[in-house]
Amino acid sequence: ALLHPELRATLRYDERVRASWPLASSAAGEHAMLLVHAPTHDGLERMASLSDAFGLRLAYPFWDRRLVETAVRLSPLDLFGSGVSRPVLRRALGTRLPARLRARTSKASFNSLLNVTARRHASDAFREMLATPGPLATWADLDHLSLTWAHFDALSDSELLAGYSGDSQRLLRAHALWRWGQSA
């Protein structure tokens, strides 16, 4: 929704996204789509670049070549038959993984950390981006972006810690694009 409406229409963005990301009919299908979908790779590359800029090393252990080679040798029933994600890993870790985590059916969320960090360290940068958008004005819907910032800025600390993340993620993406536009 942050893309400028004219750019969105020119690129036929919505149509292209729908065509490249059909709904997966199973957990296995969804997993396969995530592994081969270019934005996933692109996102991980961008996250690695951002991590490097902050002196951090990004690691995604589930893409380790040896692990992937082992996983493709397993049957779909072994990989997806239990109704929870990563059942092989859960079994392999056994009691080293706390029982509440072994039983969890959802992923861990880093949204509260992202929210608090964005609020604490990027608020001034978001204000600067909105005050001097430069080329961002041709790429993003600034009205929508301003509303997103206003909503995020108005969230209480308890709401940030509760894990609401949509605004912070949109603002960080727009800011990365803004910074890129500033360097061009």
Side-chain angles (χ1 to χ4, degrees):
L2 290 178
L3 280 179
H4 192 284
E6 290 177 24
L7 178 61
R8 199 178 183 100
T10 300
L11 296 174
R12 296 185 356 259
Y13 180 81
D14 296 334
E15 176 186 329
R16 293 168 79 181
V17 167
R18 276 192 303 276
S20 67
W21 192 260
L23 295 175
S25 59
S26 67
E30 183 177 332
H31 188 69
M33 287 172 59
L34 284 171
L35 289 174
V36 300
H37 196 59
T40 301
H41 299 284
D42 183 51
L44 288 172
E45 288 176 18
R46 277 186 276 135
M47 287 180 1
S49 296
L50 286 170
S51 297
D52 288 345
F54 290 101
L56 302 171
R57 182 179 168 272
L58 177 72
Y60 193 73
F62 296 107
W63 285 27
D64 179 87
R65 182 179 190 90
R66 294 163 298 173
L67 181 61
V68 171
E69 287 172 349
T70 300
V72 296
R73 288 189 212 114
L74 297 172
S75 75
L77 187 60
D78 287 332
L79 287 173
F80 303 105
S82 65
V84 297
S85 65
R86 301 179 177 102
V88 174
L89 179 64
R90 291 169 193 258
R91 286 192 307 269
L93 288 173
T95 58
R96 288 177 285 182
L97 184 65
R100 68 179 180 81
L101 296 181
R102 276 195 316 271
R104 182 175 71 192
T105 59
S106 62
K107 291 184 175 186
S109 172
F110 296 99
N111 293 338
S112 58
L113 177 61
L114 176 65
N115 292 339
V116 171
T117 303
R119 167 77 62 81
R120 187 175 297 153
H121 299 289
S123 289
D124 290 341
F126 295 154
R127 286 185 193 96
E128 181 184 359
M129 170 184 69
L130 291 167
T132 58
L136 184 65
T138 61
W139 304 325
D141 182 338
L142 293 181
D143 291 336
H144 185 79
L145 191 56
S146 294
L147 290 172
T148 300
W149 164 246
H151 183 263
F152 180 73
D153 194 38
L155 290 172
S156 68
D157 289 345
S158 61
E159 288 172 310
L160 289 175
L161 290 171
Y164 179 85
S165 67
D167 291 344
S168 60
Q169 290 181 14
R170 287 181 196 96
L171 290 163
L172 288 165
R173 287 183 192 123
H175 188 263
L177 186 59
W178 177 75
R179 291 289 304 206
W180 177 76
Q182 298 295 314
S183 67

